[in-house]
Coordinates of all heavy atoms in Angstrom, one line a residue:
M1 N 5.3 41.3 -207.7 CA 5.4 40.5 -208.9 C 4.1 40.0 -209.4 O 3.2 39.7 -208.6 CB 6.4 39.4 -208.6 CG 6.5 38.4 -209.6 SD 7.8 38.2 -210.9 CE 9.1 39.1 -210.3
I2 N 4.0 40.0 -210.7 CA 2.8 39.4 -211.3 C 3.2 38.0 -211.8 O 4.2 37.7 -212.4 CB 2.4 40.3 -212.5 CG1 2.0 41.7 -212.1 CG2 1.3 39.6 -213.3 CD1 0.8 41.8 -211.3
Y3 N 2.2 37.1 -211.6 CA 2.3 35.7 -212.0 C 1.2 35.3 -212.9 O 0.0 35.8 -212.7 CB 2.4 34.8 -210.8 CG 3.4 35.1 -209.9 CD1 3.4 35.9 -208.8 CD2 4.7 34.5 -210.0 CE1 4.4 36.2 -207.9 CE2 5.8 34.7 -209.2 CZ 5.6 35.6 -208.2 OH 6.6 35.8 -207.3
V4 N 1.5 34.4 -213.8 CA 0.4 33.8 -214.7 C 0.6 32.3 -214.9 O 1.8 31.9 -215.0 CB 0.3 34.5 -216.0 CG1 1.7 34.3 -216.8 CG2 -0.8 34.2 -216.9
D5 N -0.5 31.6 -214.9 CA -0.2 30.1 -215.2 C -0.6 29.9 -216.7 O -1.2 30.9 -217.4 CB -1.1 29.2 -214.4 CG -2.6 29.5 -214.5 OD1 -3.1 30.4 -215.2 OD2 -3.4 28.7 -213.8
R6 N -0.1 28.8 -217.2 CA -0.3 28.6 -218.7 C -1.8 28.4 -219.0 O -2.7 27.9 -218.1 CB 0.4 27.3 -219.2 CG 1.9 27.5 -219.1 CD 2.7 26.5 -219.8 NE 4.1 26.8 -219.7 CZ 4.8 27.7 -220.4 NH1 4.2 28.4 -221.3 NH2 6.0 28.0 -220.2
P7 N -2.3 28.7 -220.2 CA -3.8 28.7 -220.6 C -4.1 27.1 -220.5 O -3.7 26.4 -221.4 CB -3.8 29.2 -221.9 CG -2.7 29.9 -222.2 CD -1.6 29.4 -221.2
A8 N -4.9 26.7 -219.6 CA -5.3 25.2 -219.5 C -6.7 25.1 -219.0 O -7.1 23.9 -218.8 CB -4.3 24.5 -218.6
W9 N -7.3 26.1 -218.7 CA -8.7 26.1 -218.1 C -9.7 26.4 -219.1 O -10.0 27.5 -219.6 CB -8.8 27.1 -216.9 CG -7.7 26.9 -216.0 CD1 -6.5 27.5 -215.9 CD2 -7.6 25.8 -214.9 NE1 -5.7 27.0 -214.9 CE2 -6.5 26.0 -214.3 CE3 -8.5 24.9 -214.5 CZ2 -6.0 25.2 -213.2 CZ3 -8.2 24.1 -213.4 CH2 -6.9 24.2 -212.8
P10 N -10.5 25.3 -219.6 CA -11.4 25.5 -220.6 C -12.7 26.1 -220.0 O -13.2 25.9 -218.9 CB -11.8 24.1 -221.1 CG -11.5 23.2 -219.9 CD -10.4 23.9 -219.2
W11 N -13.3 27.1 -220.9 CA -14.6 27.8 -220.4 C -15.1 28.5 -221.8 O -14.3 29.2 -222.4 CB -14.5 28.7 -219.3 CG -15.7 29.3 -218.8 CD1 -16.8 28.6 -218.4 CD2 -16.1 30.7 -218.8 NE1 -17.7 29.4 -217.9 CE2 -17.3 30.8 -218.2 CE3 -15.4 31.8 -219.3 CZ2 -18.1 32.0 -218.1 CZ3 -16.1 33.1 -219.1 CH2 -17.4 33.1 -218.5
R12 N -16.3 28.2 -222.1 CA -17.0 28.8 -223.3 C -16.1 28.6 -224.6 O -16.0 29.6 -225.3 CB -17.2 30.3 -223.0 CG -18.2 30.5 -221.9 CD -18.7 31.9 -221.9 NE -19.8 32.0 -220.8 CZ -20.5 33.0 -220.6 NH1 -20.3 34.1 -221.3 NH2 -21.3 33.1 -219.7
G13 N -15.7 27.5 -224.7 CA -14.9 27.2 -226.1 C -13.5 27.8 -226.2 O -12.9 27.7 -227.2
R14 N -13.0 28.3 -225.0 CA -11.5 28.9 -225.0 C -10.8 28.4 -223.9 O -11.3 27.8 -222.9 CB -11.7 30.4 -224.8 CG -12.4 31.1 -226.0 CD -12.7 32.5 -225.7 NE -11.7 33.4 -226.0 CZ -11.8 34.7 -225.8 NH1 -12.8 35.2 -225.2 NH2 -10.7 35.5 -226.0
L15 N -9.5 28.5 -223.9 CA -8.6 28.2 -222.8 C -8.3 29.5 -222.1 O -8.1 30.5 -222.7 CB -7.4 27.5 -223.2 CG -7.6 26.1 -223.8 CD1 -6.2 25.5 -224.2 CD2 -8.2 25.2 -222.7
W16 N -8.1 29.4 -220.8 CA -7.9 30.6 -219.9 C -6.7 30.4 -219.0 O -6.5 29.3 -218.5 CB -9.2 30.9 -219.1 CG -10.3 31.2 -219.9 CD1 -11.2 30.3 -220.7 CD2 -10.8 32.5 -220.3 NE1 -12.1 31.0 -221.3 CE2 -11.9 32.3 -221.1 CE3 -10.4 33.8 -220.0 CZ2 -12.7 33.3 -221.7 CZ3 -11.2 34.9 -220.4 CH2 -12.2 34.6 -221.3
S17 N -6.1 31.5 -218.6 CA -5.1 31.5 -217.6 C -5.6 32.4 -216.4 O -6.5 33.1 -216.5 CB -3.8 32.3 -218.1 OG -3.2 31.5 -219.1
H18 N -4.8 32.2 -215.3 CA -5.1 33.1 -214.1 C -3.9 34.0 -214.0 O -2.8 33.6 -214.1 CB -5.2 32.1 -212.9 CG -6.3 31.2 -212.9 ND1 -6.1 29.8 -213.3 CD2 -7.7 31.4 -212.9 CE1 -7.3 29.3 -213.3 NE2 -8.2 30.1 -213.1
L19 N -4.2 35.3 -213.6 CA -3.2 36.3 -213.5 C -3.2 36.8 -212.1 O -4.4 37.2 -211.6 CB -3.4 37.5 -214.5 CG -2.5 38.5 -214.6 CD1 -1.2 38.0 -215.2 CD2 -3.1 39.8 -215.4
I20 N -2.2 36.8 -211.3 CA -2.2 37.3 -209.9 C -1.0 38.2 -209.6 O -0.1 38.3 -210.3 CB -2.2 36.1 -208.9 CG1 -0.8 35.4 -208.9 CG2 -3.3 35.1 -209.1 CD1 -0.5 34.6 -207.7
S21 N -1.2 38.9 -208.4 CA 0.0 39.6 -207.9 C 0.2 39.2 -206.5 O -0.8 38.8 -205.8 CB -0.4 41.1 -207.9 OG 0.5 41.8 -207.1
D22 N 1.4 39.2 -206.1 CA 1.8 38.8 -204.7 C 2.2 40.1 -203.9 O 2.7 40.0 -202.8 CB 2.7 37.8 -204.5 CG 4.2 38.2 -205.1 OD1 4.2 39.3 -205.7 OD2 5.2 37.5 -204.8
V23 N 1.9 41.3 -204.6 CA 2.3 42.5 -203.9 C 0.9 43.2 -203.5 O 0.8 43.6 -202.2 CB 3.0 43.4 -204.9 CG1 3.2 44.8 -204.3 CG2 4.4 42.7 -205.2
S24 N 0.0 43.5 -204.4 CA -1.2 44.3 -204.1 C -2.2 44.1 -205.1 O -1.9 43.9 -206.3 CB -0.9 45.7 -203.9 OG -0.6 46.3 -205.0
P25 N -3.5 44.3 -204.8 CA -4.5 44.4 -205.8 C -4.3 45.5 -206.9 O -4.6 45.3 -208.0 CB -5.9 44.5 -205.0 CG -5.5 44.0 -203.7 CD -4.1 44.4 -203.5
A26 N -3.8 46.6 -206.4 CA -3.5 47.7 -207.2 C -2.6 47.4 -208.3 O -2.7 47.8 -209.5 CB -3.0 48.9 -206.3
E27 N -1.5 46.7 -208.0 CA -0.4 46.2 -208.9 C -1.1 45.3 -210.0 O -1.0 45.4 -211.2 CB 0.6 45.5 -208.2 CG 1.7 45.0 -209.3 CD 2.7 44.0 -208.7 OE1 2.3 43.1 -207.9 OE2 3.9 44.2 -209.1
L28 N -2.0 44.4 -209.5 CA -2.7 43.5 -210.4 C -3.7 44.3 -211.4 O -3.7 44.0 -212.5 CB -3.5 42.5 -209.5 CG -4.3 41.4 -210.3 CD1 -3.4 40.6 -211.3 CD2 -5.1 40.5 -209.4
H29 N -4.4 45.2 -210.8 CA -5.4 45.9 -211.6 C -4.5 46.7 -212.8 O -4.9 46.9 -213.9 CB -6.2 46.9 -210.9 CG -7.2 46.1 -209.9 ND1 -8.0 45.1 -210.4 CD2 -7.4 46.2 -208.7 CE1 -8.7 44.6 -209.5 NE2 -8.4 45.3 -208.3
A30 N -3.5 47.4 -212.3 CA -2.7 48.2 -213.3 C -2.1 47.3 -214.3 O -2.1 47.7 -215.5 CB -1.6 48.9 -212.5
F31 N -1.7 46.1 -214.0 CA -1.1 45.2 -215.0 C -2.2 44.7 -216.0 O -2.0 44.7 -217.2 CB -0.4 44.0 -214.3 CG 0.4 43.2 -215.3 CD1 1.7 43.4 -215.4 CD2 -0.2 42.1 -216.0 CE1 2.5 42.6 -216.3 CE2 0.5 41.4 -216.9 CZ 1.9 41.5 -217.0
A32 N -3.3 44.4 -215.5 CA -4.4 43.9 -216.3 C -4.9 45.0 -217.2 O -5.1 44.8 -218.4 CB -5.5 43.5 -215.4
E33 N -4.9 46.3 -216.7 CA -5.3 47.4 -217.6 C -4.2 47.6 -218.7 O -4.5 47.8 -219.9 CB -5.3 48.7 -216.8 CG -5.9 49.9 -217.6 CD -6.0 51.1 -216.8 OE1 -6.3 51.0 -215.5 OE2 -5.8 52.2 -217.3
A34 N -3.0 47.5 -218.4 CA -1.8 47.5 -219.5 C -2.0 46.4 -220.5 O -1.7 46.6 -221.7 CB -0.5 47.5 -218.8
L35 N -2.5 45.3 -220.0 CA -2.6 44.1 -220.8 C -4.0 44.2 -221.7 O -4.2 43.4 -222.6 CB -2.7 42.9 -219.9 CG -2.7 41.5 -220.5 CD1 -1.6 41.3 -221.5 CD2 -2.7 40.4 -219.5
G36 N -4.8 45.1 -221.3 CA -6.1 45.3 -222.1 C -7.1 44.4 -221.7 O -8.1 44.1 -222.4
V37 N -7.1 44.0 -220.3 CA -8.1 42.9 -219.8 C -9.2 43.8 -219.1 O -8.8 44.7 -218.2 CB -7.5 42.0 -218.9 CG1 -8.4 41.1 -218.2 CG2 -6.5 41.1 -219.6
S38 N -10.5 43.5 -219.3 CA -11.5 44.2 -218.7 C -11.6 43.9 -217.2 O -11.3 42.8 -216.8 CB -12.8 43.7 -219.4 OG -14.0 44.2 -218.6
R39 N -12.0 44.9 -216.4 CA -12.2 44.7 -214.9 C -13.1 43.6 -214.7 O -13.2 43.0 -213.6 CB -12.5 46.0 -214.3 CG -12.5 46.1 -212.9 CD -11.1 46.2 -212.3 NE -11.0 46.4 -211.0 CZ -10.5 47.5 -210.4 NH1 -10.0 48.4 -211.1 NH2 -10.5 47.7 -209.1
R40 N -14.1 43.4 -215.6 CA -15.0 42.3 -215.4 C -14.4 40.9 -215.3 O -15.0 40.0 -214.7 CB -16.0 42.3 -216.6 CG -16.9 43.5 -216.7 CD -17.8 43.4 -217.8 NE -17.1 43.1 -219.0 CZ -17.7 42.6 -220.1 NH1 -18.9 42.3 -220.1 NH2 -16.9 42.4 -221.2
A41 N -13.2 40.8 -215.8 CA -12.4 39.5 -215.7 C -11.8 39.3 -214.4 O -11.2 38.3 -214.1 CB -11.3 39.4 -216.8
F42 N -12.0 40.2 -213.3 CA -11.4 40.1 -212.1 C -12.4 39.2 -211.2 O -13.6 39.5 -211.2 CB -11.2 41.5 -211.4 CG -10.6 41.5 -210.0 CD1 -9.4 41.1 -209.9 CD2 -11.4 41.8 -208.9 CE1 -8.7 41.0 -208.6 CE2 -10.8 41.8 -207.6 CZ -9.5 41.4 -207.6
D43 N -11.8 38.3 -210.5 CA -12.6 37.4 -209.7 C -11.9 37.2 -208.3 O -11.0 36.4 -208.1 CB -12.7 36.0 -210.4 CG -13.6 35.1 -209.6 OD1 -14.3 35.5 -208.7 OD2 -13.5 33.9 -209.8
R44 N -12.3 38.1 -207.3 CA -12.0 38.1 -206.0 C -10.4 38.4 -205.7 O -10.2 39.3 -205.0 CB -12.2 36.7 -205.3 CG -13.6 36.3 -205.2 CD -13.8 35.0 -204.4 NE -12.8 34.1 -204.6 CZ -12.9 33.1 -205.4 NH1 -13.9 32.9 -206.2 NH2 -12.0 32.1 -205.4
D45 N -9.5 37.7 -206.3 CA -8.1 37.9 -206.1 C -7.2 37.6 -207.3 O -6.0 37.6 -207.3 CB -7.6 37.0 -204.9 CG -7.9 35.5 -205.1 OD1 -8.2 35.1 -206.3 OD2 -7.8 34.8 -204.1
H46 N -7.9 37.4 -208.4 CA -7.1 37.1 -209.8 C -7.9 37.6 -211.0 O -9.2 37.8 -210.8 CB -6.8 35.6 -209.9 CG -8.1 34.8 -210.1 ND1 -8.9 34.4 -209.1 CD2 -8.6 34.3 -211.2 CE1 -10.0 33.6 -209.6 NE2 -9.8 33.6 -210.9
Y47 N -7.3 37.6 -212.1 CA -8.0 37.8 -213.3 C -7.9 36.5 -214.2 O -6.9 35.8 -214.1 CB -7.2 38.9 -214.2 CG -7.6 40.3 -213.8 CD1 -6.9 41.0 -212.8 CD2 -8.5 41.0 -214.5 CE1 -7.3 42.3 -212.5 CE2 -8.9 42.2 -214.3 CZ -8.3 42.9 -213.2 OH -8.5 44.2 -212.9
D48 N -9.0 36.3 -214.8 CA -9.1 35.2 -215.9 C -8.8 35.9 -217.2 O -9.5 36.8 -217.7 CB -10.4 34.6 -215.9 CG -10.8 33.9 -214.5 OD1 -10.0 33.2 -214.0 OD2 -12.0 34.1 -214.1
I49 N -7.7 35.4 -217.8 CA -7.3 36.0 -219.1 C -7.3 34.9 -220.2 O -7.0 33.7 -219.9 CB -5.9 36.6 -219.1 CG1 -4.8 35.7 -218.7 CG2 -6.0 37.8 -218.1 CD1 -3.4 36.3 -219.0
P50 N -7.8 35.3 -221.3 CA -7.9 34.3 -222.4 C -6.5 33.8 -222.9 O -5.6 34.7 -222.8 CB -8.7 34.9 -223.6 CG -8.5 36.4 -223.3 CD -8.3 36.5 -221.8
A51 N -6.3 32.7 -223.6 CA -5.0 32.3 -224.0 C -4.4 33.2 -225.0 O -3.3 33.3 -225.1 CB -5.3 30.9 -224.7
E52 N -5.3 34.0 -225.8 CA -4.7 35.0 -226.6 C -3.9 36.1 -226.0 O -3.1 36.7 -226.6 CB -5.9 35.6 -227.5 CG -6.7 34.7 -228.3 CD -7.7 33.9 -227.5 OE1 -8.4 34.6 -226.7 OE2 -7.9 32.7 -227.6
R53 N -4.1 36.3 -224.7 CA -3.4 37.3 -224.0 C -2.2 36.8 -223.2 O -1.4 37.6 -222.6 CB -4.4 38.1 -223.0 CG -5.5 38.6 -223.6 CD -5.4 40.1 -223.8 NE -6.7 40.5 -224.4 CZ -6.8 41.8 -224.8 NH1 -5.9 42.6 -224.6 NH2 -7.9 42.2 -225.3
F54 N -2.1 35.5 -223.2 CA -0.9 34.9 -222.3 C 0.5 35.4 -222.8 O 1.3 35.9 -222.0 CB -1.0 33.4 -222.5 CG 0.1 32.7 -221.8 CD1 0.2 32.5 -220.4 CD2 1.2 32.2 -222.5 CE1 1.1 31.9 -219.8 CE2 2.3 31.6 -221.9 CZ 2.2 31.4 -220.5
A55 N 0.8 35.3 -224.1 CA 2.1 35.8 -224.6 C 2.4 37.2 -224.3 O 3.5 37.6 -223.9 CB 2.2 35.6 -226.1
M56 N 1.4 38.1 -224.4 CA 1.5 39.5 -224.0 C 1.7 39.7 -222.6 O 2.5 40.5 -222.2 CB 0.3 40.4 -224.5 CG 0.4 41.8 -224.2 SD 1.8 42.7 -225.0 CE 1.0 42.9 -226.6
A57 N 1.1 38.9 -221.7 CA 1.3 39.0 -220.3 C 2.7 38.7 -220.0 O 3.3 39.4 -219.1 CB 0.4 38.1 -219.6
V58 N 3.3 37.6 -220.6 CA 4.7 37.3 -220.3 C 5.6 38.4 -220.9 O 6.5 38.7 -220.2 CB 4.9 35.9 -221.0 CG1 6.4 35.5 -220.9 CG2 4.1 34.8 -220.3
W59 N 5.3 38.9 -221.9 CA 6.1 40.0 -222.6 C 6.1 41.2 -221.7 O 7.1 41.8 -221.6 CB 5.6 40.3 -224.0 CG 6.5 41.3 -224.8 CD1 7.6 40.9 -225.5 CD2 6.3 42.7 -224.8 NE1 8.2 42.2 -225.9 CE2 7.3 43.3 -225.6 CE3 5.3 43.5 -224.3 CZ2 7.5 44.6 -225.8 CZ3 5.4 44.9 -224.6 CH2 6.4 45.4 -225.3
L60 N 5.0 41.4 -221.1 CA 4.9 42.6 -220.1 C 5.6 42.3 -218.7 O 5.7 43.2 -217.9 CB 3.4 43.0 -220.0 CG 2.7 43.7 -221.1 CD1 1.3 43.9 -220.8 CD2 3.4 45.1 -221.4
G61 N 6.0 41.1 -218.6 CA 6.8 40.8 -217.3 C 6.2 39.7 -216.4 O 6.7 39.7 -215.3
A62 N 5.1 39.2 -216.8 CA 4.4 38.2 -215.8 C 5.3 37.0 -215.8 O 5.8 36.5 -216.8 CB 3.1 37.8 -216.3
Q63 N 5.5 36.5 -214.6 CA 6.3 35.3 -214.5 C 5.4 34.0 -214.6 O 4.4 34.0 -213.9 CB 7.0 35.2 -213.2 CG 7.9 34.1 -212.9 CD 8.7 34.0 -211.6 OE1 8.9 35.2 -211.0 NE2 9.1 33.0 -211.1
V64 N 5.7 33.1 -215.4 CA 4.9 31.8 -215.7 C 5.3 30.9 -214.5 O 6.4 30.6 -214.2 CB 5.2 31.2 -217.0 CG1 4.5 30.0 -217.2 CG2 5.0 32.3 -218.1
V65 N 4.2 30.4 -213.9 CA 4.4 29.4 -212.7 C 3.3 28.4 -213.0 O 2.2 28.6 -213.6 CB 4.2 30.1 -211.4 CG1 5.3 31.0 -211.1 CG2 2.8 30.7 -211.2
P66 N 3.5 27.2 -212.5 CA 2.4 26.1 -212.5 C 1.2 26.6 -211.7 O 1.2 27.4 -210.7 CB 3.1 25.0 -211.7 CG 4.5 25.2 -211.8 CD 4.7 26.7 -211.8
S67 N 0.0 26.2 -212.2 CA -1.3 26.5 -211.7 C -1.3 26.3 -210.1 O -1.7 27.1 -209.4 CB -2.4 25.8 -212.2 OG -2.5 26.1 -213.7
R68 N -0.7 25.2 -209.7 CA -0.8 24.9 -208.2 C 0.0 25.9 -207.4 O -0.3 25.9 -206.2 CB -0.3 23.4 -208.1 CG 1.1 23.2 -208.2 CD 1.6 21.8 -208.1 NE 3.0 21.6 -208.4 CZ 3.5 21.5 -209.6 NH1 2.7 21.4 -210.6 NH2 4.8 21.3 -209.7
D69 N 0.9 26.6 -208.0 CA 1.6 27.6 -207.2 C 1.0 28.8 -207.0 O 1.4 29.6 -206.1 CB 3.0 27.8 -207.9 CG 3.9 26.6 -207.9 OD1 3.6 25.6 -207.2 OD2 5.0 26.7 -208.6
L70 N -0.1 29.2 -207.8 CA -0.7 30.4 -207.7 C -1.4 30.7 -206.4 O -1.3 31.7 -205.7 CB -1.7 30.6 -208.9 CG -1.2 30.8 -210.2 CD1 -2.3 30.9 -211.3 CD2 -0.2 32.0 -210.3
V71 N -2.1 29.6 -205.9 CA -2.8 29.8 -204.6 C -1.8 29.9 -203.5 O -1.9 30.8 -202.6 CB -3.8 28.6 -204.4 CG1 -4.3 28.6 -203.0 CG2 -4.9 28.6 -205.5
A72 N -0.7 29.1 -203.5 CA 0.3 29.2 -202.5 C 0.9 30.7 -202.5 O 1.2 31.1 -201.4 CB 1.5 28.2 -202.8
L73 N 1.2 31.2 -203.6 CA 1.7 32.6 -203.7 C 0.7 33.6 -203.1 O 1.2 34.5 -202.3 CB 2.0 32.9 -205.1 CG 3.3 32.3 -205.7 CD1 3.3 32.3 -207.3 CD2 4.5 32.9 -205.2
L74 N -0.6 33.4 -203.4 CA -1.5 34.3 -202.9 C -1.6 34.1 -201.4 O -1.8 35.2 -200.7 CB -2.9 34.0 -203.6 CG -3.2 34.6 -204.9 CD1 -4.4 34.0 -205.6 CD2 -3.2 36.2 -204.9
R75 N -1.7 32.9 -200.9 CA -1.7 32.7 -199.4 C -0.6 33.3 -198.7 O -0.7 34.0 -197.6 CB -1.9 31.3 -199.1 CG -3.2 30.7 -199.4 CD -3.4 29.3 -198.9 NE -4.7 28.9 -199.2 CZ -5.1 27.6 -199.7 NH1 -4.1 26.7 -199.8 NH2 -6.3 27.3 -199.9
R76 N 0.6 33.1 -199.2 CA 1.9 33.6 -198.5 C 1.8 35.2 -198.5 O 2.3 35.7 -197.6 CB 3.1 33.1 -199.2 CG 3.5 31.8 -198.8 CD 5.0 31.5 -199.2 NE 5.2 31.6 -200.5 CZ 5.2 30.5 -201.5 NH1 4.8 29.4 -201.0 NH2 5.4 30.7 -202.6
S77 N 1.2 35.8 -199.5 CA 1.2 37.2 -199.6 C 0.1 37.8 -198.8 O 0.1 39.0 -198.5 CB 1.1 37.7 -201.1 OG -0.3 37.3 -201.6
G78 N -0.8 37.0 -198.3 CA -2.0 37.5 -197.6 C -3.1 38.0 -198.4 O -4.1 38.6 -197.9
L79 N -3.0 37.8 -199.8 CA -4.0 38.4 -200.7 C -5.0 37.3 -201.2 O -5.9 37.7 -202.0 CB -3.3 38.9 -201.9 CG -2.4 40.1 -201.6 CD1 -1.5 40.5 -202.9 CD2 -3.1 41.3 -201.1
R80 N -5.0 36.1 -200.7 CA -6.0 35.2 -201.1 C -7.4 35.6 -200.5 O -7.5 35.9 -199.3 CB -5.6 33.7 -200.5 CG -6.6 32.7 -200.9 CD -6.5 32.4 -202.4 NE -7.4 31.3 -202.8 CZ -8.1 31.2 -203.9 NH1 -7.9 32.1 -204.7 NH2 -8.9 30.2 -204.2
R81 N -8.4 35.5 -201.4 CA -9.8 35.8 -201.0 C -10.7 34.7 -201.2 O -11.2 34.6 -202.4 CB -10.2 37.0 -201.7 CG -9.5 38.4 -201.3 CD -10.2 39.6 -201.5 NE -11.7 39.6 -201.4 CZ -12.4 39.9 -200.4 NH1 -11.8 40.4 -199.3 NH2 -13.7 39.8 -200.5
P82 N -10.8 33.8 -200.3 CA -11.7 32.6 -200.6 C -13.1 33.0 -200.8 O -13.6 34.1 -200.4 CB -11.6 31.9 -199.2 CG -10.4 32.4 -198.4 CD -10.3 33.7 -199.0
K83 N -13.9 32.2 -201.5 CA -15.3 32.5 -201.9 C -16.1 32.9 -200.7 O -17.0 33.8 -200.9 CB -15.9 31.3 -202.7 CG -15.4 31.1 -204.0 CD -16.0 30.0 -204.7 CE -15.5 29.8 -206.1 NZ -16.2 28.7 -206.9
H84 N -16.0 32.2 -199.6 CA -16.9 32.4 -198.5 C -16.6 33.9 -197.9 O -17.4 34.3 -197.1 CB -16.8 31.4 -197.4 CG -15.5 31.4 -196.6 ND1 -14.3 30.8 -197.1 CD2 -15.2 31.9 -195.5 CE1 -13.3 31.0 -196.2 NE2 -13.8 31.6 -195.2
L85 N -15.5 34.4 -198.3 CA -15.2 35.8 -197.7 C -15.5 36.9 -198.8 O -15.3 38.1 -198.5 CB -13.7 36.0 -197.3 CG -13.4 35.1 -196.1 CD1 -11.9 35.2 -195.8 CD2 -14.2 35.4 -194.8
A86 N -15.8 36.5 -200.1 CA -16.0 37.5 -201.1 C -17.2 38.3 -200.9 O -18.1 38.0 -200.2 CB -16.1 36.7 -202.5

């Protein structure tokens, strides 16, 4: 399943969301490609997506969850990649 949090993270004058998969990196990359998000937006275990892509992510099937739940979902799935292991 693909998950996204609401755009709430400011950076470079925009708000951003995080997009994750609890199944596999391949699922996440395929979803991001369908969403039109560049591979450069991938950061270890998630994509950073601009607020403008949030509605499309939800329309494509991403489940909206609170930000604090994303890390828990990644940890439970075994897909969390901490910075020190990147």
